Amino acid sequence: MRAAIIGIGSLGTIIGALITKGGKPIDLFDSYKDNVDALNRFGATITGALDLNVPVTAYTPDQMTGEYDLVFLLTKQTNNHSVLPQLLPHLRCDSVVCTLQNGVPEDSVASIVGRGRTVGGAVGFGATWLRPGVSSLTSSYATVEKFAFEIGEIDGVLRPRLKTVQEYLECVGATEIRDNLMGIKFTKVLMNSTFSGMSAALGCTFGDVLANPKAMTCLAFVANECIAVAHARGVGLVEMQGEDLEFFELKSAADIPSKMTLYRKIWGPHAKLKASMLQDLEKGRECEINYINGVICQQGRACGIPTPFNDRIVELVTEAQTRRGVNDFSYLSRFDGLLEKYAKEHTLAF
């Protein structure tokens, strides 16, 4: 069994290290040569909620040889158009490509590698890439142990190959096989578009968002738009991390205060996390905003569902990306007009 991870950033470093530590050989591929050199010389180092160093084998993509049975895709979606065609010569007809990317990438991945070779999944923890070969686990390790991954097939059929994928990922943490992949993906989009979206838009950690009532009010509207778009697509959200995220649907702004306890319960363990999109902005790189909040905006327009709060996040992050900079918390004022319009049904203290 030959397995590989493509994309050794914040999550790829941790996943690669723990799969290797779990006794399953896996090759790590990354286009950043300094990262590859550090991984080979010093091993994959995890800090934060874990303190671990694991010797690994890493390569640049041009060094890939032979065929792989299982490939985990952890690159940014922005790189799929270049990464996936290079992978094709190294896949057999029955190889499996498991995308663990943000957003809803399964159809676009399948359009290149083939629907019959594509499975998908959602990652239930966060990390921050520190430097070549080193990643910090910014979610609690208890979260990884309980809610690391949820995986499934595009058509919902539970094929035996999912067990193989599960065996590898369970070296990292609990991995649940689900028969509603699109439900999983839209649920993860909600999780990412809310806190990751606000983190990138305001240049802050998840904890900073949690601590600010005004930011949390905006976030509650972001979540509600995600749910409205999913429902318009005929998709119901699924339980994630043991909680029913349909609970975040709003009948009016008056519902918002009652949602805060569950937001704190789910995202409190991730308070130190900075969105990977924000990490990209800090490095002057293109981020995945169009594949996270942008998915809700695009599909909202297609379904006739207004998405003004997701639109504003996309606007703010795109502005930061264009100027190769990072916003700060003062940009929260850019939501004031929307709050005045949408929160007027209830007096909200900011």
Side-chain angles (χ1 to χ4, degrees):
M1 182 79 177
R2 295 191 77 206
I5 297 176
I6 299 181
I8 312 303
S10 57
L11 292 174
T13 301
I14 292 172
I15 294 169
L18 293 177
I19 288 177
T20 301
K21 182 175 181 290
K24 291 192 175 294
I26 191 163
D27 294 336
L28 312 185
F29 288 89
D30 196 72
S31 59
Y32 183 26
K33 189 174 185 301
D34 287 353
N35 193 35
V36 169
D37 290 344
L39 289 164
N40 285 324
R41 184 175 179 185
F42 304 111
T45 300
I46 307 173
T47 66
L50 271 181
D51 184 8
L52 188 66
N53 176 267
V54 181
V56 296
T57 304
Y59 305 95
T60 52
D62 60 290
Q63 295 175 311
M64 184 177 283
T65 59
E67 296 175 329
Y68 282 86
D69 304 285
L70 173 61
V71 176
F72 293 103
L73 188 61
L74 281 154
T75 53
K76 304 290 185 185
Q77 281 203 64
T78 51
N79 296 325
N80 281 0
H81 66 284
S82 59
V83 169
L84 293 176
Q86 293 177 358
L87 176 62
L88 284 175
H90 304 286
L91 299 176
R92 298 196 312 271
C93 62
D94 60 348
S95 296
V96 176
V97 177
C98 178
T99 171
L100 297 173
Q101 297 166 307
N102 288 326
V104 189
E106 285 73 18
D107 284 337
S108 64
V109 171
S111 70
I112 299 174
V113 305
R115 197 173 182 88
R117 291 193 286 211
T118 305
V119 303
V123 182
F125 61 94
T128 299
W129 191 84
L130 299 180
R131 58 186 179 275
V134 184
S135 184
S136 175
L137 177 60
T138 43
S139 298
S140 68
Y141 186 55
T143 298
V144 178
E145 289 180 306
K146 294 179 182 177
F147 309 115
F149 305 100
E150 294 178 277
I151 59 173
E153 299 273 4
I154 295 175
D155 60 7
V157 176
L158 301 183
R159 296 181 176 87
R161 64 186 184 174
L162 289 174
K163 288 289 187 182
T164 302
V165 177
Q166 182 185 45
E167 288 171 4
Y168 273 79
L169 294 180
E170 285 196 327
C171 295
V172 180
T175 301
E176 186 172 355
I177 295 173
R178 305 291 289 265
D179 61 4
N180 181 8
L181 180 62
M182 288 301 104
I184 294 169
K185 298 305 290 188
F186 269 94
T187 304
K188 186 63 188 293
V189 166
L190 182 148
M191 297 188 80
N192 282 332
S193 63
T194 49
F195 282 88
S196 292
M198 293 297 288
S199 170
L202 303 178
C204 65
T205 66
F206 289 13
D208 294 328
V209 177
L210 276 166
N212 187 286
K214 183 176 177 180
M216 287 301 297
T217 299
C218 296
L219 184 146
F221 284 117
V222 171
N224 189 61
E225 291 172 7
C226 295
I227 295 170
V229 169
H231 289 177
R233 286 280 313 274
V235 176
L237 302 190
V238 301
E239 280 195 6
M240 192 162 282
Q241 300 197 4
E243 302 292 344
D244 180 7
L245 271 64
E246 291 273 354
F247 174 77
F248 293 126
E249 185 176 17
L250 303 176
K251 294 180 180 178
S252 75
D255 292 341
I256 292 175
S258 68
K259 312 297 181 183
M260 293 299 110
T261 298
L262 186 57
Y263 278 121
R264 286 190 290 270
K265 178 181 178 182
I266 296 175
W267 277 276
H270 308 277
K272 295 180 181 180
L273 184 61
K274 287 196 298 186
S276 62
M277 291 191 291
L278 176 56
Q279 296 176 51
D280 286 336
L281 292 176
E282 290 173 337
K283 297 179 179 73
R285 298 175 182 169
E286 184 179 357
C287 73
E288 291 187 292
I289 189 64
N290 291 326
Y291 301 97
I292 300 176
N293 298 82
V295 167
I296 300 302
C297 302
Q298 296 154 15
Q299 298 204 12
R301 286 191 291 271
C303 298
I305 303 295
T307 59
F309 284 86
N310 279 281
D311 292 342
R312 184 56 46 85
I313 288 176
V314 171
E315 176 185 307
L316 292 176
V317 174
T318 301
E319 287 178 9
Q321 184 170 262
T322 300
R323 70 172 187 274
R324 298 295 180 186
V326 176
N327 298 336
D328 58 38
F329 226 84
S330 68
Y331 281 77
L332 185 58
S333 64
R334 296 278 292 275
F335 290 91
D336 286 351
L338 292 177
L339 287 172
E340 182 179 354
K341 177 179 179 181
Y342 286 90
K344 65 183 179 181
E345 305 164 52
H346 187 69
T347 302
L348 296 170
F350 300 137

